[in-house]
Amino acid sequence: MNQKKEPPRLMKGNEALAEAALRAGLQAYFGYPITPQSEILEYLTEHGAKRGAVVLQAESELAAINMVYGAAGAGARAMTSSSSPGISLMQEGLSYMTSAQLPCLVVNVSRGGPGLGTIQPAQSDYFQATKGGGHGDYHLIVLAPSSVQEMADFVFDAFRLSEKYRNPAMILADGALGQMMEKVSLPAEGSLPPGDKPWATVGKPASRERNIITSLFIEPERMEEVNLHLQKKYHEIQQEVRYEEIETNDAEILLVAFGLAARIAQKAVELAREKGIKAGLLRPITLYPFPSQIISSLSRKVISFLVVEMNAGQMVEDVRLAVAGGRPVAFKGRMGGMIPSPEEVLEEIESIAESYRIPAV
Amino acid sequence: MEVVTTTNGMELVYQKPSTLTDTPFHYCPGCGHGVVHKLLMEVVEEMGIQEQTIGIAPVGCSVFAYNYMNVDMQEAAHGRAAAVATGVKRVFPDKYVFSYQGDGDLAAIGTGETIHTANRGENILVVFINNAIYGMTGGQMAPTTLLGMVTSTTPFGRQQAVMGFPLKITDLIAQLPGAYYVTRQAVHTTNAVRKTKKALRLALEYQPRKKGICFVEVVSNCPSGWKMTPVEANAWMEKNMFPMYPLGDLKVPQ
C-alpha cells in the first residue's frame, strides 16, 4: 500500500507512528499525556508545528477527542492518541463522531486494566475497540500492528480508510509495540493525498446550503435512517478485511493471535514445527472488520484452534463465532500486563496435539 | 441602508436577517434564546462574515441552534462546545468561530473545557445564556441556580448546605489572562437588547485581533422552567437574578 520507502532506521514504535502521521499529512493532533504513549504527544509537539500541523496538548482526553471532533468537522486530517484509561474517556466523543460521520485516527497504545491498571502492555481493550465502546450501534475500523514497521504503515491505512468511509479508525497497539525499538522504513511524505470533504464546516458561501455536523436526529424515523446508513457502511467495510497466514497450508493446530501476541504465537509455531507438530498461525490485521470468513474456511481444514491473547479471552469469542462449533477452540491468555512466553504457548500446543494424538511427523 | 419598498407601497424598515433560516423557533414564548440568536445573526450579516463564520451548538434548549443560524455549524456533545470550537479555530485561525452555550452545558458539565479554553486565550466568541435552570430536561437545578430557588430537583429551594453556591463563572473567566473581553448583558428590554447586540458586535470585531477569548453572558429567563408568565419571569429576573449577576462589562480591552 505504501509505495516508496526510505532506508531503514532504528525507531521506537511511538515515535515511528508519530513521524508516519506527519508524513501522512496530519493536520491536527490533540493529545494528553499517559504512559505508555506519551512519546507520540512529545514527538508531535516537537516536530508538528514546523511541518504545518496543529498540535495541542489538551486539558484532558475528553477535551482532546472533542477538539478532534471540531478539527475533523472542519475538514482537517485529525488524530489523537492515548492509552487504555484515556481511551475510555474518549468513548463519548467516538460515539458522536461515528454518528456525525467524521473521520479521524485514534491510537490506543494499550495497557493492562481494568481501572488505572498497570502501564505494562495488554490487549484487554479488544472488546471496547471492536464492538463499539461507547453508546449506540457503531464500530470503529480497527487495525492491529505487530511491529514498529506496522505502527508506521498503518497510520496511512487508518487515515485512508477513515476518510473513505467517514468513520473513525483506531490503531490498537500495546505498550510493548509503543516502547520497543525496531528497524523501520518510513513511508514517503505526501503519499496520501488529502480527500475531498464537501461536508466540512469551512464557512458557508452563498452558493451552497450550510453544512451541519451533528449526531442529533430527534425523530426516530430519521434516526433509524441514519442507523441503516451506518449498518450499510459497516457491511461495505467488510471488504477491507486484512490478515496474515503463516504456515496455514498444512496446519492441524491453528493459532489465532493479533498484535504482539501474534509474534509470540509465531515463535511458538516455529518451536512446534521443530517438534514435528503441524501448527500454523492466522493473524488478524484488521480486528474490525474481523477475518471471520478465512477462519471459517480454515476450520474445515484444521483439527483444533488455539487463540492466544494478552487478556482474559476477548477475540476468542469472535473466533468461536466464526468456527461456529465446527472445531474446538482453546484459549491461552495472560492478563494484567503479563506477556505469555513462546514456551508457555508451545506447552498449550503440545497438550492439544497430545489430546488429539496428532502424530509427530 | 437601501430603502426597500414592499408590495403594498410601504417602506420596509425591518426584516429578519438573511443569516437566520426560515425555520420557526421552537423556543417557548418569552424565552430569550430567539432574541439572542437573532442578534448574533444580525451581527454576522452586518459584518458580512457569513462565509467566514463557524458556530458550535451546545446540548440544552439551544441544541437546535443550527436549524436557525444560517452558517456552517457543528453540534457538540454536552459541555464540549469550547473544545470543539478550539478544534475548529486551530484549523482556521483566521475565520470567526463562536460557541453558544447554556449554564448547565458551560458551567457544570463543561466547566473544565470552558476554563481551559479561556485560559489558553482561544480567539473565539463564547455566548453564554444564563437562565439558572436546565430548560430542555424539564427545569432541574443548574450551577447558576440561586439560593432558595425552586427547581424540579430543588423542590424546597436550593440549599447551600446541600448544593453549594451559585457559580459566577463569568467572574471567574474575567480573572484569566486569556480573556480579552468579558461582559454580562440581558435581552429583557429594548435598551438591554441594543446593549447585547453591541457586545456581540464588539466581541466578533475583536476576534481578528487574536488577543484572547471574548465571553458574552446573557442573563436570561425561563418562563416554562420557572413556571411564570414571560412578564412575571422578566420581573423576577430583574429582582432576583441581576443582584447576583449584575449587568455590565467585567473586562474590556486595555
Side-chain angles (χ1 to χ4, degrees):
Chain A
M1 223 145 285
N2 300 314
Q3 351 57 36
K4 280 171 77 183
K5 284 183 178 171
E6 287 178 5
R9 55 170 137 166
L10 195 64
M11 280 184 101
K12 226 177 185 185
N14 284 337
E15 289 174 349
L17 184 143
E19 174 58 28
L22 290 172
R23 290 169 183 235
L26 175 72
Q27 290 171 302
Y29 171 89
F30 305 94
Y32 186 82
I34 184 172
T35 308
Q37 69 79 48
S38 297
E39 293 84 0
I40 299 174
L41 171 63
E42 287 169 348
Y43 191 94
L44 290 172
T45 47
E46 185 179 350
H47 300 281
K50 59 190 173 205
R51 288 161 72 177
V54 167
V55 178
L56 183 61
Q57 179 171 335
E59 67 270 24
S60 68
E61 289 91 347
L62 211 53
I65 192 66
N66 284 283
M67 290 172 185
V68 169
Y69 180 107
R77 188 164 280 163
M79 167 187 168
T80 185
S81 62
S82 188
S83 181
S84 308
I87 296 290
S88 289
L89 274 171
M90 293 183 184
Q91 295 304 319
E92 175 199 46
L94 289 171
S95 169
Y96 278 63
M97 288 189 81
T98 314
S99 182
Q101 302 199 73
L102 293 177
C104 74
L105 166 59
V106 180
V107 179
N108 181 0
V109 184
S110 71
R111 56 191 245 183
L116 199 49
T118 166
I119 59 171
Q120 300 302 321
Q123 297 181 324
S124 40
D125 299 349
Y126 176 90
F127 282 151
Q128 185 194 55
T130 61
K131 308 297 178 187
H135 60 284
D137 279 318
Y138 75 91
H139 292 280
L140 308 179
I141 298 163
V142 186
L143 292 153
S146 73
S147 63
V148 171
Q149 183 66 56
E150 286 186 343
M151 289 284 274
D153 289 347
F154 288 1
V155 171
F156 285 71
D157 298 317
F159 274 131
R160 185 178 51 78
L161 290 170
S162 78
E163 288 170 18
K164 179 178 176 186
Y165 293 102
R166 288 186 62 186
N167 195 79
M170 176 177 277
I171 291 179
L172 180 61
D174 63 62
L177 289 165
Q179 294 299 320
M180 71 189 189
M181 293 184 88
E182 277 188 321
K183 209 169 63 170
V184 55
S185 301
L186 288 163
E189 186 134 17
S191 49
L192 189 65
D196 190 27
K197 294 171 178 172
W199 44 263
T201 58
V202 299
K204 179 195 124 48
S207 56
R208 68 156 165 82
E209 289 293 301
R210 68 196 188 285
N211 281 342
I212 296 166
I213 304 291
T214 186
S215 66
L216 177 65
F217 307 97
I218 204 103
E219 296 91 7
E221 293 82 0
R222 179 80 187 100
M223 189 74 250
E224 188 178 47
E225 270 174 33
V226 170
N227 268 284
L228 288 169
H229 176 73
L230 291 178
Q231 292 308 312
K232 184 165 164 276
K233 194 156 77 173
Y234 296 135
H235 182 73
E236 286 165 17
I237 285 174
Q238 298 307 312
Q239 71 189 5
E240 306 291 349
V241 73
R242 282 171 65 189
Y243 52 84
E244 183 186 12
E245 289 182 78
I246 295 162
E247 307 261 25
T248 55
N249 270 338
D250 62 343
E252 293 174 332
I253 299 174
L254 184 66
L255 278 67
V256 186
F258 70 93
L260 190 70
R263 293 174 67 139
I264 297 153
Q266 186 176 351
K267 182 70 188 168
V269 166
E270 280 171 30
L271 296 174
R273 290 263 169 185
E274 280 169 18
K275 295 198 165 201
I277 301 169
K278 286 182 179 170
L281 170 66
L282 180 90
R283 174 171 78 96
I285 292 172
T286 53
L287 301 182
Y288 190 89
F290 189 70
S292 301
Q293 277 184 8
I294 182 69
I295 292 174
S296 172
S297 60
L298 285 170
S299 73
R300 289 185 280 275
K301 291 162 58 180
V302 305
I303 292 170
S304 186
F305 284 85
L306 171 62
V307 177
V308 182
E309 297 180 74
M310 285 148 54
N311 59 37
Q314 298 193 15
M315 183 182 69
V316 65
E317 293 191 4
D318 287 330
V319 174
R320 285 185 176 131
L321 279 172
V323 171
R327 291 287 181 278
V329 179
F331 174 72
K332 171 66 186 173
R334 294 294 299 268
M335 292 171 284
M338 294 300 291
I339 302 173
S341 68
E343 291 72 24
E344 273 181 275
V345 178
L346 177 64
E347 268 178 44
E348 294 291 324
I349 297 172
E350 286 179 313
S351 101
I352 292 167
E354 201 170 312
S355 67
Y356 291 96
R357 294 201 177 83
I358 297 172
V361 179
Chain B
M1 204 180 186
E2 83 179 288
V3 176
V4 180
T5 309
T6 60
T7 46
N8 58 9
M10 290 164 77
E11 186 187 320
L12 186 66
V13 294
Y14 177 83
Q15 63 180 331
K16 176 178 78 64
S18 64
T19 41
L20 273 184
T21 66
D22 291 331
T23 309
F25 286 134
H26 72 280
Y27 300 116
C28 305
C31 170
H33 272 308
V35 179
V36 183
H37 280 26
K38 187 200 69 170
L39 295 178
L40 182 59
M41 287 300 109
E42 277 180 354
V43 170
V44 167
E45 181 179 61
E46 287 163 18
M47 288 175 67
I49 57 170
Q50 184 183 18
E51 281 194 40
Q52 292 94 48
T53 300
I54 298 138
I56 314 298
V59 171
C61 283
S62 50
V63 68
F64 285 121
Y66 55 78
N67 281 346
Y68 314 121
M69 298 183 184
N70 194 15
V71 294
D72 277 3
M73 287 195 76
Q74 297 194 23
E75 164 56 36
H78 198 23
R80 316 289 167 241
V84 172
T86 297
V88 175
K89 185 69 182 187
R90 291 290 174 130
V91 170
F92 294 130
D94 296 324
K95 297 197 180 184
Y96 293 86
V97 176
F98 71 85
S99 76
Y100 185 104
Q101 303 173 254
D103 41 59
D105 190 85
L106 179 141
I109 194 167
T111 312
E113 285 80 0
T114 303
I115 298 279
H116 284 281
T117 302
N119 198 49
R120 280 192 305 269
E122 296 291 342
N123 299 302
I124 62 166
L125 161 64
V126 173
V127 182
F128 167 41
I129 308 298
N130 176 11
N131 61 5
I133 205 158
Y134 284 72
M136 190 177 70
T137 44
Q140 294 83 13
M141 183 191 70
T144 49
T145 294
L146 304 177
L147 290 180
M149 188 173 167
V150 172
T151 71
S152 70
T153 51
T154 52
F156 312 108
R158 179 174 184 164
Q159 294 169 48
Q160 177 268 316
V162 183
M163 291 311 305
F165 298 94
L167 180 59
K168 298 173 78 164
I169 194 153
T170 305
D171 297 62
L172 240 161
I173 296 291
Q175 304 306 311
L176 302 173
Y180 187 59
Y181 172 51
V182 182
T183 188
R184 186 184 284 122
Q185 302 295 335
V187 289
H188 64 307
T189 63
T190 311
N191 194 26
V193 166
R194 286 202 187 102
K195 283 185 176 172
T196 298
K197 182 169 175 181
K198 188 181 164 207
L200 293 169
R201 170 110 193 187
L202 278 176
L204 282 174
E205 283 177 349
Y206 290 152
Q207 199 166 123
R209 294 186 187 177
K210 302 185 180 174
K211 298 281 191 182
I213 203 163
C214 292
F215 195 96
V216 178
E217 174 179 345
V218 179
V219 181
S220 194
N221 58 17
C222 182
S224 297
W226 294 358
K227 315 222 180 296
M228 297 176 194
T229 66
V231 172
E232 286 167 355
N234 280 344
W236 191 91
M237 175 175 71
E238 280 190 75
K239 184 168 176 242
N240 300 283
M241 295 276 284
F242 290 178
M244 174 61 80
Y245 306 110
L247 306 189
D249 292 336
L250 285 85
K251 190 173 193 178
V252 292
Q254 296 303 310

